[in-house]
Amino acid sequence: MTTIADRLSIAQSRINQAAQKCARNPNEVKLLAVSKTKPANDIIEAYLAGQRLFGENYVQEGEQKILQLGEEFNDIEWHFIGPLQSNKTKVVAEHFDWMHTLSREKVAKRLNDQRPPHLPPLQVCIQVNISNEQSKSGVDEQEVFKLAQQISQMPKLKLRGLMAIPTATDDINLQQDEFSRLNTLYQTLKQQFDTVDTLSMGMSGDLDIAITNGSTMVRVGSAIFGSRT
Ligand SMILES: *Cc1c(COP(=O)(O)O)cnc(C)c1O
């Protein structure tokens, strides 16, 4: 039987190998452990194995875990990576360190207004709808720069980069096309905003190709914590 610690180290080796294959420094790629639906004990187990970055998808579940663990394990960095309705922004503003799925000015404004003064700015990524599917969340490629400009004027938000969930597909060409368009967009954004240093893309199934295409943060759930029911 493999433990969470075993699987963390396997995930880290995958990151190292993918980085080496394309002559990147493995330290440029952070591992975000996605603990959604998993119990707080799993987070502690990963923490004791050295993991510090955790991602949660659901506002209430995330808030509960942060209230339960945040004080004792106060060097955990909490990342919100799920869809966020504008009436739920307060929880994210008050409890999380990062927010990956920003795609509307209205939500950005609320997060900026609701971020408590004693906390550092909320670190944010703009979610890009790279596959241009109607059903998917995120902004279109052309809209990224306008939203980035708006966020950059908000003192309690710090624009860190882009996030995307590319199409889940076996079509390697389609996959490659989406990842590389994201990378191009990221490089352009980085030239315009000097706070930008993060390209959040790649999950358990596609972190290798994501790293080849410039990812600086992979969000890995099932490969660390096991499959979700
Ligand atoms: C669940 C989730 C992940 C992790 O997915 P796995 O395939 O389990 O690694 C990553 N990013 C987002 C946005 C998610 O919702």
Side-chain angles (χ1 to χ4, degrees), residues 77-95:
E77 203 173 83
W78 297 99
H79 293 239
F80 187 79
I81 62 170
L84 183 63
Q85 293 172 328
S86 58
N87 62 351
K88 301 271 178 63
T89 49
K90 198 157 184 276
V91 174
V92 172
E94 291 183 347
H95 295 289

Side-chain angles (χ1 to χ4, degrees), residues 34 36 57 81-82 101 163 165 202-205 219-223 228:
V34 177
K36 66 181 176 208
N57 279 62
I81 62 170
T101 50
M163 177 274 200
I165 309 173
M203 320 202 291
S204 294
R219 308 178 306 266
V220 181
S222 49
R228 293 174 296 270

